[in-house]
Amino acid sequence: AGGDSSQLAGGYSSKLEGGYSSQLAGGDSSQLAGGDSSKLAGGNSSQLAGGDSSQLAGGDSSQLAGGNSSKLAGGYSSQLAMDKQCLAIGDHNSHFKGKIGSVVCIVERNNKYEIVNYKATQIDGKIIKEDTWYKLEKGEFIEVK
């Protein structure tokens, strides 16, 4: 746990929590929570939650949740949850949900890990509903039941 302007780094399965303007980095299966203006990076299967204006990057199968204006990037099979005015990028088999105004781009890959489709959209509340999980399948966004 760190205070304002802290820099925290933890190994495998670490739990890190930072105050304002923190920078956090954790290994695989880490749990990271950052305050406003934080930068968080976690390995595969990490759980990251960032405050307003955070930048989050997680490995494969990570769960990322960003506050207003956050930027999220998740690896293969990640879950991206966005607040208002966020930007998220997800790799193959990723799921996303967010508030109206947020933007997301997801890619699909074949069994050789080559990108075969991608799609970007802005959550508008009509075509892409607010706070509803979606994934990219065959080049189209579909609701996850």
Side-chain angles (χ1 to χ4, degrees):
D4 292 351
S5 301
S6 295
Q7 295 182 347
L8 296 88
Y12 181 82
S13 298
S14 295
K15 294 181 182 179
L16 305 170
E17 195 172 319
Y20 295 108
S21 301
S22 292
Q23 296 181 342
L24 298 86
D28 291 349
S29 302
S30 293
Q31 296 177 349
L32 295 87
D36 292 352
S37 302
S38 292
K39 296 178 182 178
L40 298 86
N44 294 339
S45 302
S46 292
Q47 296 177 349
L48 297 89
D52 292 351
S53 302
S54 292
Q55 296 179 0
L56 298 84
D60 293 346
S61 302
S62 292
Q63 297 176 350
L64 297 88
N68 292 349
S69 305
S70 292
K71 295 166 188 71
L72 298 83
Y76 183 89
S77 296
S78 291
Q79 293 181 350
L80 309 163
M82 301 169 284
D83 207 343
K84 298 176 185 174
Q85 301 300 315
C86 292
L87 171 63
I89 298 172
D91 207 336
H92 183 73
N93 204 38
S94 290
H95 297 64
F96 72 91
K97 72 175 181 175
K99 300 290 184 190
I100 291 174
S102 289
V103 173
V104 64
C105 179
I106 304 289
V107 300
E108 283 184 288
R109 297 179 183 269
N110 62 20
N111 58 2
K112 296 179 185 176
Y113 297 102
E114 299 167 327
I115 294 174
V116 295
N117 283 313
Y118 72 94
K119 190 165 187 169
T121 192
Q122 186 170 26
I123 298 170
D124 61 2
K126 296 174 184 153
I127 296 170
I128 302 294
K129 295 181 259 180
E130 186 175 59
D131 293 327
T132 302
W133 286 105
Y134 288 90
K135 67 179 181 177
L136 185 63
E137 189 173 286
K138 298 179 184 171
E140 298 297 326
F141 288 128
I142 61 167
E143 273 190 56
V144 177
K145 303 287 181 188

